Amino acid sequence: MPGVQANRPAEAGDLQEEYARVRALSEALVEPLSEADATLQSMEDASPAKWHLAHVTWFWETFLLRDHGNGYQLYDDDWPFVFNSYYEAEGERIARFSRGMLSRPTLQDLLSWRAHVDEAMQQLLDREELRPLIELGFAHEQQHQELLLTDIKHALFQNPLGPAMWDTTPAARKQADDWYEHPGGIARIGHQADGFAFDNEGPAHRALLEPFALSSRLVTNGEWAEFIADGGYETAALWLSDGWGWVQEKKIGAPSYWRGQQHFTHGGWQDRNPDAPVTHISYYEADAFATWAGRRLPTEFEWEAIARGQEGELAAHDPSGGNQLDDASPPLPIGSDGLFGDCWQFTRSGYLPYPRFRPAEGAVGEYNGKFMSGQFVLKGASCATSRGHSRASYRNFFYPHQRWQFTGLRLAKDL
Amino acid sequence: MPGVQANRPAEAGDLQEEYARVRALSEALVEPLSEADATLQSMEDASPAKWHLAHVTWFWETFLLRDHGNGYQLYDDDWPFVFNSYYEAEGERIARFSRGMLSRPTLQDLLSWRAHVDEAMQQLLDREELRPLIELGFAHEQQHQELLLTDIKHALFQNPLGPAMWDTTPAARKQADDWYEHPGGIARIGHQADGFAFDNEGPAHRALLEPFALSSRLVTNGEWAEFIADGGYETAALWLSDGWGWVQEKKIGAPSYWRGQQHFTHGGWQDRNPDAPVTHISYYEADAFATWAGRRLPTEFEWEAIARGQEGELAAHDPSGGNQLDDASPPLPIGSDGLFGDCWQFTRSGYLPYPRFRPAEGAVGEYNGKFMSGQFVLKGASCATSRGHSRASYRNFFYPHQRWQFTGLRLAKDL
Amino acid sequence: MPGVQANRPAEAGDLQEEYARVRALSEALVEPLSEADATLQSMEDASPAKWHLAHVTWFWETFLLRDHGNGYQLYDDDWPFVFNSYYEAEGERIARFSRGMLSRPTLQDLLSWRAHVDEAMQQLLDREELRPLIELGFAHEQQHQELLLTDIKHALFQNPLGPAMWDTTPAARKQADDWYEHPGGIARIGHQADGFAFDNEGPAHRALLEPFALSSRLVTNGEWAEFIADGGYETAALWLSDGWGWVQEKKIGAPSYWRGQQHFTHGGWQDRNPDAPVTHISYYEADAFATWAGRRLPTEFEWEAIARGQEGELAAHDPSGGNQLDDASPPLPIGSDGLFGDCWQFTRSGYLPYPRFRPAEGAVGEYNGKFMSGQFVLKGASCATSRGHSRASYRNFFYPHQRWQFTGLRLAKDL
Amino acid sequence: MPGVQANRPAEAGDLQEEYARVRALSEALVEPLSEADATLQSMEDASPAKWHLAHVTWFWETFLLRDHGNGYQLYDDDWPFVFNSYYEAEGERIARFSRGMLSRPTLQDLLSWRAHVDEAMQQLLDREELRPLIELGFAHEQQHQELLLTDIKHALFQNPLGPAMWDTTPAARKQADDWYEHPGGIARIGHQADGFAFDNEGPAHRALLEPFALSSRLVTNGEWAEFIADGGYETAALWLSDGWGWVQEKKIGAPSYWRGQQHFTHGGWQDRNPDAPVTHISYYEADAFATWAGRRLPTEFEWEAIARGQEGELAAHDPSGGNQLDDASPPLPIGSDGLFGDCWQFTRSGYLPYPRFRPAEGAVGEYNGKFMSGQFVLKGASCATSRGHSRASYRNFFYPHQRWQFTGLRLAKDL
């Protein structure tokens, strides 16, 4: 089972409320979109907004209602084929890059399906034995809320007319510039049985650290402009070999979404604020920048050790403080205090199993473990991450060339 | 100048009426589509329905209103970039496969633009010196009506749910099985100054023919099933070398849209009628079938000679008789009498310039001439071709692997 | 049967002599090459020199010795798989781009095979009924001599060290600048039963021509430099649509093998002579140049009509005059008199079947007919074409983007 | 500096002798190859044998003779461009997949160059301050000896005639089947200053281990056949997501070089011995097998801890015992005792920098660090690895899909 519940109140009521809140936010996020906007798929990595709405509903219908719903009938027998994402155990599914061809079912069809599933789910939300699965459903839908936001941004960006999804008034503040020092030693790593977590966050274990320091702030747009001005993208010596190949082949010369002094946002083209954290960079870029700056990226263990504090059990850095997704308003990195929010932060740790890791049984076991090759761990949370979804043990992961997420970096150094 | 007007009545009124008719049909064709349907682009060869609506409007706005419209102001300065198709002389344009990312402008925006252009066009429709350009505009918009129909068919086909655009009751009759014989000799070829024509249909000239016969009917679904049953797609000796490579690489084993005993239509999945003409085949398939049948494809000159009759000036085969596009109802090949209608018919003639051919001056000169390499000529007209758009000299052209149009074949033999 | 013999002396002796001559030239051409040179395959279109030596031997062994050789045993049962080129009827064969992996058999092995086959062939060279097939064997081996030369040029060109295969002293003279005029009318086209020809050169038939003129000379390097200086490669309006796409995608800005004021030859890097005919251009380039020059490419029928002269039967332009392949010396275009030699000349005619064309029965029937889609006809002969191999009806053919052969152009105009 | 020397005898004489030995082995390895064999490049990952001979010589000429050789003149100024591999700091170089076009310089030219460099190197071999660089040169040349062997195997395999490089009499013995247990705790990891090592093996540091056991033997061909028979390659649940995609796309169903009951070796096609270690598998396959077997792959730290033994300083498992490359005889995995030899063993550790890792200054600093993304660490040594080149801290690394090296696996389990 991917997650366990410990210190949260055990009343059924909280699941009812959370279910309503999570489901409503998904729908609120597509409200500014037209039916056509919501159908766009701009690349294989991204999915249409409508598809996200449907896929999370498929998850509830399949793993909760079908498996535990006492004679529940599928709303439409043909839909699992089109709205399954990657669960091989759940059978054949549509080729990934064909999701953008799903003009039907209509958005209205999908909202009706959602209402139907929500209605049926009411019977299951007070079954305590299903709590782990239901919490997984929340986490899953929240992950797709973040993807929905980054995918639609990527899709709207393809349009030369530069359409905006929301009106925005971007703001940014300078973050305090300091170092969090750590003396090294044995750190507690991974999910410590203090609430829901994905299977890949456990088992809890220990890691041995050397003395190091982690920056108290994120690298900014202004610093990135200096890196560019200093020839960062033309200096092979700064780059990993694969990164240099990527820069050459794709003719990369700036973070994604940059054009002149502007960058593309959910509010259309906007002037970049030099104090705001840089985002939409790849691992290759993050690593090259750190080399250029004479620093390095932290490991995931270092990052987590700072987030936990020396006691390990208390959250030294509160995940609830930063700039994250609270409601259907435009996600913008603005310079939060603390380690969480604004953007995901690359670590130099490969996304690999923790000691004694075992995937969950059954289809939900495909959730995380099967992606453990070729990717890097990111820590923290972005401005598009649901607030409650953030925690010190969270392991996000992407391939080193991907950058359509709100990805940035926080430097580390040896002590 | 791509077309000249000769035997049509010269009153301005006919242009007003034709303009209204052509423009209205375009809009009627998208009526069964949702905004999302109309935004889909399923492959680089195809365009979204919305884009077709916009592109033809761009044509009127650019080549009529902007060039001849007495101070006409562009409706939106940014739109030419996104709605120009391939006219290099008209400047930069969006990458072809990005048309499917244009969720904005909305369908409603485009319909407003259309209304605005229609209003402005009223002033130009009685200017006799613009008649050739206006008739080119009709022909252009009619071509895009056909593409709109074939493109949306291809897009809906991608959806595993098999959505229908219209209700249909398909019917087919057996065509008479006979041969039109021709004794050979010098035939009159090309546009004979008897109405509008594209530049590539002229100049009128003569061609020397050997005695031959052309079938009075199209090859049918039933015959194609025999070809398949006889191992047609597995027999290298029947195929052109490029065709055999294409069959192997793309794993081709049937016409496009076939699945079991059904095929995909604008009315969704339907049982195939064995008497109906086969459609959605490539040149490679047409050629292989003809070889298998012990026949051959006609040349474009042979086809035209039969269509004209021995006198050359009289239309022996009336282009107005067959099954073509009259209104916004589902295009279906059903077995027409005569040479026109149901499907475009492959010839073995390369799409190349006629003697003394010169492209028109200016941007409209890019209309046809620049495509004269690597393609084959098709004659006739399909069930998706506007009726008035058909004539004996018409030269349609596609690459030998393309088959998303209503393409079929009519056999020929030497005498 | 691909060719018939008419006016050549019927003694067996001439075949003995010709056999010895043709076979010896193939071996002489590889003499300047090392074993490693002869193994190189630089692209899918090209083959290793060793492979050419082996493939032509496979042809003699298969279609003569095996089929007619009275109990002849194959030299090695495994070799047909690796040395068959594209004859589907002859079974499976090695993937085309794997020919460059055939370090074994060694060159010495292949020369031993050649000697073995030559020995066995002596018994067949006086069998008059095999004459057509033997003459096809000569023509086939001569075609591969030309390919051997163009393929090894392409392979050596890949080497940054620019190795030379021969010492050369290039020379070029200015060709007379005039026009051959033709009044139009019916011309005799195709093989007129006056010696060996490939199946695609027949049947003899008539074509109707409009008045035109063909240049007495080839376009030169100097003229091509003017085309470049005038922005030829940057001017979309000059290009076919596919050609413009090719120029953009492949970043084409000059003929193949050009670098600064030099070009790569069988003698390594050499200064270009402005008076020498331009070579190694694609159809797209030839067509764009003709458009830029205000001329056009001839049709294959126009070219042949000039080559034959008005009488049709007499060779007005002697194919034996120009600069062609006589012995194992470096092929260099230098400006021949007459229509033949120096380089193949693009026509605007698609490579398509002549009226009543039927491929030969059996595997040799795969020789030409199955390539009749997507290619253009070239006429004449190049400096790498065996002299006896040239004739007015010869139809060479390549795809419009290919340019590793000695390809050039001769302009035409309407009268 | 990538390596340091500690406990080896400091006399100059040992370098002289080692230099002669290493250089001679490279040349002995190409002796069974023809010039054409030695020129083949079968894929981008592989290089021609001749290129390896030249590249290692370029290394000595560049980093020793040019940088430290007192006025040494380059043998040929054009050669660095073609024989540099990936050292960006050393300037432009030939595109990787063009190495197979280097028929010139000839093998004899390269051997002359080698002799020239060997002669010049004599002056430097007694300069103690160059010892680290010279030892790096040995290690570098030995790595290329291994690559030469695996690359030529891959090239000869492309030939349908299945040529052999050596006569072989393969043999295999069953390895003892047991587990090496480890109680967990802090292990010493990385190069412990006991001889030469690459920069990526350091700095020495500590890692925290959980209790585990490592198999005393490698997985065999026989076990792999069971995996196949049990549907291993058709069972999505066993595979990493990227691995499953790779299996589907490349139609993988067995280790590389397998065909029926045989596999391709340096001695041509041979019957597989079920007791011999399986080789030529990818990380994806190794991981899937371990999952199928109910085990897992070890981490690089676990593997090293077993190799060192509990004391850390003493080599519990002697790297000099197994089946490795001693002379120019065919490399064959036969079932060695101990951890080293036969094949490289995949770990589940990403190839990433050790704490406080810094690449060496200058061009040699490009040796290892810049490859630290997307690859996995392999431990041990293969039958093609020079014996002296093996040590507990050695970190080999490949992408998870690569399998043309002698790669296999040794299972681990938690205790």
Side-chain angles (χ1 to χ4, degrees), chain C residues 91-299:
Chain C
E92 293 281 310
R93 62 203 180 285
I94 192 177
R96 186 154 186 168
F97 204 14
S98 298
R99 293 176 187 169
M101 291 297 111
L102 296 173
S103 59
R104 325 273 179 97
T106 65
L107 184 50
Q108 191 48 55
D109 292 338
L110 296 178
L111 293 174
S112 300
W113 183 29
R114 289 181 66 93
H116 178 90
V117 163
D118 290 350
E119 172 81 22
M121 274 298 299
Q122 298 310 310
Q123 318 309 315
L124 302 188
L125 292 173
D126 55 2
R127 281 170 55 186
E128 194 54 29
E129 81 280 12
L130 297 179
R131 176 178 285 266
L133 210 42
I134 290 166
E135 292 197 314
L136 180 63
F138 296 159
H140 176 256
E141 184 144 353
Q142 287 171 329
Q143 284 185 316
H144 280 278
Q145 288 166 357
E146 180 160 5
L147 292 171
L148 187 158
L149 285 168
T150 52
D151 292 358
I152 190 66
K153 180 175 178 179
H154 193 265
L156 295 176
F157 173 65
Q158 308 307 312
N159 189 329
L161 305 175
M165 178 168 166
W166 279 293
D167 281 339
T168 56
T169 324
R173 46 196 152 142
K174 246 191 161 71
Q175 287 182 285
D177 190 358
D178 206 351
W179 293 93
Y180 302 124
E181 302 200 343
H182 192 289
I186 290 182
R188 300 184 60 166
I189 296 297
H191 176 60
Q192 308 289 328
D194 50 353
F196 170 81
F198 288 114
D199 56 357
N200 65 357
E201 299 173 48
H205 65 288
R206 300 166 307 157
L208 189 54
L209 304 179
E210 303 291 325
F212 73 96
L214 184 68
S215 176
S216 68
R217 65 178 187 77
L218 297 163
V219 170
T220 65
N221 284 330
E223 290 171 298
W224 205 273
E226 287 173 47
F227 171 66
I228 294 176
D230 196 38
Y233 285 96
E234 288 95 48
T235 308
L238 298 172
W239 294 80
L240 288 163
S241 179
D242 286 352
W244 185 242
W246 173 78
V247 162
Q248 303 287 300
E249 187 196 334
K250 305 285 185 189
K251 303 189 197 315
I252 305 290
S256 195
Y257 296 124
W258 284 33
R259 191 178 69 188
Q261 299 305 308
Q262 294 197 307
H263 61 166
F264 187 73
T265 73
H266 286 88
W269 289 98
Q270 304 269 353
D271 292 333
R272 281 195 309 276
N273 187 316
D275 290 336
V278 68
T279 52
H280 297 296
I281 55 168
S282 68
Y283 179 82
Y284 298 133
E285 289 167 288
D287 184 80
F289 181 93
T291 300
W292 172 79
R295 305 302 186 192
R296 62 174 174 82
L297 299 178
T299 66

Side-chain angles (χ1 to χ4, degrees), chain D residues 17-88:
Chain D
E17 203 178 306
E18 182 71 354
Y19 184 88
R21 205 185 62 76
V22 169
R23 298 285 286 170
L25 181 52
S26 296
E27 294 175 19
L29 290 175
V30 299
E31 218 160 277
L33 300 178
S34 73
E35 170 103 27
D37 293 336
T39 302
L40 298 179
Q41 182 181 27
S42 56
M43 62 170 172
E44 195 167 345
D45 285 339
S47 296
K50 266 170 59 179
W51 189 90
H52 286 298
L53 283 190
H55 168 68
V56 293
T57 304
W58 167 85
F59 188 99
W60 293 110
E61 191 180 60
T62 302
F63 297 119
L64 274 297
L65 292 171
R66 185 198 64 180
D67 291 356
H68 303 281
N70 220 347
Y72 176 84
Q73 297 295 310
L74 291 188
Y75 188 75
D76 188 312
D77 288 341
D78 292 333
W79 290 8
F81 178 78
V82 293
F83 297 126
N84 177 4
S85 53
Y86 55 74
Y87 299 80
E88 300 278 352

Side-chain angles (χ1 to χ4, degrees), chain B residues 181-187 207-213 302 305-306 310 415, chain C residues 206 356:
Chain B
E181 302 199 342
H182 191 290
I186 290 182
L208 189 55
L209 304 179
E210 303 292 324
F212 73 96
E302 291 171 338
I306 295 295
Q310 289 308 305
L415 288 184
Chain C
R206 300 166 307 157
R356 299 176 190 280

